[in-house]
Each structure stands twice: as structure tokens, then as C-alpha cells.
Amino acid sequence: MKIMRQIGGTCGYYAFINSLSVLFPEVQFSHKDVYLLLEKSLSMKLTHVGEMFDYPPTDFFEEHFEDRGLLIHLENRKIDNLIGDMELLEEEEAIIISIASGKKSSHWIGVVKVDGKLLTLNSMNRSPKKYNYKNLEKKHNKLENRVYNFKTYFKLSKKIRRIPERFFYNNVEKKRYKDKYSDMMLKLVRELEDATSKGIPEEIKIEYGSYYFLKKIAK
């Protein structure tokens, strides 16, 4: 089981698609699915550069995937006992949750159960991994009162672009993401960064205290 690695600051959308790839193993997911989801999210002004620091409406995702023939149920659940909720997951269910990343940002991951074992789906990795779930809970709790400064994002983006193309774009981006839509994703993210770097809010509060519960609905 492989995980699609994210392009740009789009971990929330990749967390959804990677989780769906486990719930719907008969469906071949690709960067195209992330691209189309991001396009729709942009048209509804739910994101600036592909980030998800809050929780977009559940019906946005349900309707988007229903149009593709995938029936899902999605809830935004308040956290009371996160570890207990993860242990109660069934095979065709997932938890999609935001955790602290570094000292200033956040990162979305999926949690699924496969063959009775809990696995995390992290778009920074190539394959699912076991995780210390007490540590995951601690990482989520670090988001309390956290505010993201977009200046950090654009500084990092500019730093990455200064790396010579032969070292970064060709060797990393091109070889890691080999399909038409991966190139389109990269182009879209770069265009968004250029277009919004001056008009974007300087700070955005990162939502905390809940997660998405995702369930496959049998036809």
C-alpha cells in the first residue's frame, strides 16, 4: 500500500484522498483527484494556496465525491477521548486529523484500520506506518491557541525555489510525481503562491479540538 506524497501545502486534501484509497481499494486514485478537489475548494474560497487550517463543511466533501460515484459519510466530531475513538475504528472508517508540525504550523494525517491494526497515512511518507497514538494526541493538543503566520509559508516557498532546478525540480518533484496531473498540481500551487502572496491574511488561527470521521457507505 503506497501513499501519494503531497505537492505544496496541500496535506489536508492528500489526507482525504489517501484515506479514501484505503476505504475504496477498488478505485485507482491519483493526483488528479487532489487537483479536482483543490480546484473546487478554490472556487468556493475555502482555501488560499491549498492549506486547510480549519474544517471545510462536511457536505463539500460528501457532494464532491458523490459526483464521482463514491458514497461517504463525514462528520466533524469534537474530541473527548481521541485514543478511544481510534481504537473503535472499523475497517471502512477513517479519522482525518490535524496535528502540530514544528513550532508554528500544522499537518493533516489519516488514521485507518487495516487487518485489525491502526495505521497512519502521512503524505510526507511513502507508506502507512504504525504510530504512538498517545504522541499523536499530544501533537494535536499542541495546536491549542496556535496561529499560523503566512510569511513563514512564503519564505519557505521562495527558499525552495532558489534551489537549482537540476537538484530540486527534476530530481525530486518530477521523479516523485509522475503523471500529467502531478505537473498540473505543481503548476497550480506555484501560481497560487505568486497570486496570493501579497493579498493573503497575514495570520490564520488553526482550528483545534475536533477531527473528521469518515465512513464508506455501501451501495
Side-chain angles (χ1 to χ4, degrees):
M1 184 192 307
K2 291 186 177 180
I3 297 175
M4 280 193 294
R5 296 187 69 175
Q6 71 189 73
I7 299 173
T10 53
C11 55
Y13 298 99
Y14 277 91
F16 265 94
I17 299 301
N18 283 325
S19 297
L20 286 170
S21 70
V22 176
L23 273 55
F24 294 87
E26 71 279 9
V27 178
Q28 183 68 41
F29 290 93
S30 71
H31 294 282
K32 176 180 179 180
D33 297 284
V34 184
Y35 183 86
L36 295 176
L37 185 59
L38 178 56
E39 266 198 329
K40 187 173 182 180
S41 183
L42 287 164
S43 71
M44 298 176 68
K45 298 183 178 179
L46 298 176
T47 186
H48 296 286
V49 292
E51 84 293 343
M52 268 176 51
F53 288 133
D54 57 5
Y55 291 76
T58 55
D59 57 357
F60 162 73
F61 293 103
E62 289 177 335
E63 292 170 6
H64 175 82
F65 292 113
E66 184 178 359
D67 289 343
R68 196 188 158 177
L70 303 177
L71 299 181
I72 62 169
H73 171 70
L74 187 66
E75 296 177 31
N76 185 346
R77 291 186 175 180
K78 294 295 182 184
I79 293 175
D80 180 41
N81 180 3
L82 180 58
I83 294 176
D85 290 347
M86 288 189 288
E87 290 174 344
L88 290 173
L89 274 180
E90 300 290 339
E91 295 279 336
E92 294 187 339
E93 299 173 346
I95 284 175
I96 300 171
I97 188 168
S98 181
I99 60 175
S101 175
K103 295 181 179 180
K104 299 179 180 180
S105 189
S106 64
H107 181 66
W108 289 86
I109 61 172
V111 180
V112 296
K113 184 171 281 187
V114 178
D115 297 329
K117 298 178 182 178
L118 286 173
L119 297 173
T120 57
L121 310 175
N122 186 337
S123 55
M124 299 300 289
N125 300 325
R126 286 298 286 169
S127 58
K129 296 183 182 295
K130 293 181 181 179
Y131 202 88
N132 181 324
Y133 292 98
K134 288 185 179 179
N135 191 35
L136 187 151
E137 186 176 42
K138 289 179 181 177
K139 283 195 169 186
H140 176 76
N141 289 338
K142 286 182 179 180
L143 293 179
E144 187 174 11
N145 299 320
R146 181 169 287 200
V147 174
Y148 184 73
N149 189 314
F150 260 102
K151 288 182 179 179
T152 304
Y153 178 88
F154 290 112
K155 281 181 181 178
L156 177 61
S157 174
K158 288 178 180 178
K159 184 177 180 180
I160 289 173
R161 292 199 202 190
R162 284 199 296 268
I163 299 173
E165 189 173 293
R166 66 183 183 278
F167 292 125
F168 182 75
Y169 185 82
N170 290 333
N171 292 347
V172 179
E173 300 281 6
K174 281 285 190 180
K175 290 182 180 179
R176 184 182 293 169
Y177 316 113
K178 288 185 177 179
D179 68 30
K180 177 179 73 172
Y181 279 92
S182 61
D183 283 344
M184 291 172 67
M185 271 291 295
L186 182 62
K187 182 180 178 183
L188 176 60
V189 167
R190 296 300 189 227
E191 288 175 350
L192 288 170
E193 290 172 352
D194 291 337
T196 61
S197 59
K198 293 183 179 179
I200 206 165
E202 185 172 319
E203 293 184 336
I204 292 182
K205 191 175 189 306
I206 299 173
E207 281 201 33
Y208 153 83
S210 61
Y211 63 82
Y212 281 123
F213 170 76
L214 173 64
K215 183 175 182 176
K216 176 181 179 180
I217 299 177
K219 292 184 179 180

